[in-house]
Amino acid sequence: MNKWTNEEIAAFDKAQTLHNRPYNDDKTTFEEDNPVWEVTVDNQVFIRGAKGIKDTKWYQAGTKNGGQIEVAGQKFEVKYQAVNNAELIKDVTEAFNKKYHGQYPIDLMVSDPVAKATIAIVKK
C-alpha cells in the first residue's frame, strides 16, 4: 500500500468532496459515481456511508471490490477499509464536525449509525 503524500492530503483538506467510485463485482463498472464528503485524520482519508453499513450500497461494493476515487482532478485506485477502532471513529467524527460545521446533513453524518460506517480510503 502507498501512503498519501503531503500534497495529496492538502488536496483532500481543501476539497469539499471526493468522487466515490466503488467497483461492482465485475471490477470494471462502478456501483456508484457520486461526490461524498471526506476528511483527513493523521494523514489518512475517510468517508462515511450515510445509510449505515448494511444499507449503503457503495460501502458494501467498496469493501468487497475496492474502487477508484477522484479529488482535485486526480484519480486513484483504492481499497475501502472498514474502521472499527472507536477512538479513530471519534477522531473522524470530530474532523467531520470541524470541516462541515453548519452544513446539511452534518447531523446525519456524525450520528452513531453513520459513524459506524466509517471507511478509510487506502491508496493502492
Side-chain angles (χ1 to χ4, degrees):
M1 296 299 149
N2 296 313
K3 293 191 183 282
W4 298 107
T5 67
N6 291 338
E7 293 80 17
E8 290 162 350
I9 290 294
F12 285 111
D13 287 340
K14 186 176 178 183
Q16 283 295 301
T17 60
L18 62 77
H19 258 275
N20 181 33
R21 299 179 181 118
Y23 288 122
N24 281 310
D25 287 344
D26 65 11
K27 300 205 172 114
T28 61
T29 60
F30 302 115
E31 172 62 38
E32 294 185 20
D33 180 358
N34 62 328
V36 297
W37 282 359
E38 49 77 18
V39 296
T40 64
V41 174
D42 295 332
N43 293 320
Q44 296 179 75
V45 179
F46 299 92
I47 61 176
R48 286 184 165 169
K51 296 179 182 175
I53 293 171
K54 291 183 181 171
D55 294 326
T56 302
K57 287 183 177 183
W58 71 253
Y59 181 103
Q60 296 297 321
T63 55
K64 182 179 178 187
N65 302 318
Q68 184 185 97
I69 62 161
E70 182 176 348
V71 67
Q74 292 186 285
K75 292 180 184 177
F76 301 96
E77 290 293 317
V78 296
K79 287 180 60 177
Y80 292 68
Q81 210 167 58
V83 176
N84 299 312
N85 178 301
E87 257 327 286
L88 182 54
I89 289 171
K90 181 181 169 207
D91 291 347
V92 171
T93 296
E94 288 175 12
F96 267 94
N97 271 320
K98 183 177 179 182
K99 186 171 184 176
Y100 299 105
H101 178 76
Q103 296 182 45
Y104 177 81
I106 189 59
D107 291 344
L108 172 67
M109 297 308 291
V110 297
S111 68
D112 285 340
V114 174
K116 290 177 183 167
T118 300
I119 289 287
I121 299 294
V122 181
K123 183 168 70 167
K124 287 187 174 180

